[in-house]
Amino acid sequence: MSKIKSHSGAAKRFKRTANGFKHKQSHTSHILTKKSTKRKRHLRAMKSIAQSDKALIVRMLPYI
């Protein structure tokens, strides 16, 4: 039986942690002049995915 391929887009966006997956937040790449320093600072951190999305991510990344 052949192995299942990982979804290459998901593999670039999500990393596994002990309790699930983490991802980078959006709205950090352009039009930064109108965003406050506090808002940009808080967007810097990685966030964990919602529990409701975990099954979908696990399906796209079977071996990660």
Side-chain angles (χ1 to χ4, degrees):
M1 188 86 186
S2 60
K3 291 173 71 174
I4 304 167
K5 287 188 176 182
S6 292
H7 190 285
S8 59
K12 294 169 191 174
R13 287 170 173 83
F14 302 105
K15 301 294 177 210
R16 183 177 278 287
T17 64
N19 300 319
F21 292 89
K22 62 183 181 178
H23 70 95
K24 191 174 186 299
Q25 296 189 67
S26 58
H27 308 291
T28 59
S29 59
H30 70 294
I31 314 176
L32 298 172
T33 53
K34 64 174 74 172
K35 294 172 185 148
S36 69
T37 308
K38 180 180 178 179
R39 181 176 169 190
K40 289 186 281 190
R41 184 173 63 246
H42 284 291
L43 287 170
R44 238 182 265 154
M46 301 283 273
K47 280 189 85 175
S48 56
I49 61 163
Q51 203 62 28
S52 57
D53 294 328
K54 189 175 180 181
L56 183 65
I57 305 297
V58 169
R59 185 177 169 193
M60 287 193 286
L61 303 171
Y63 303 110
I64 294 175

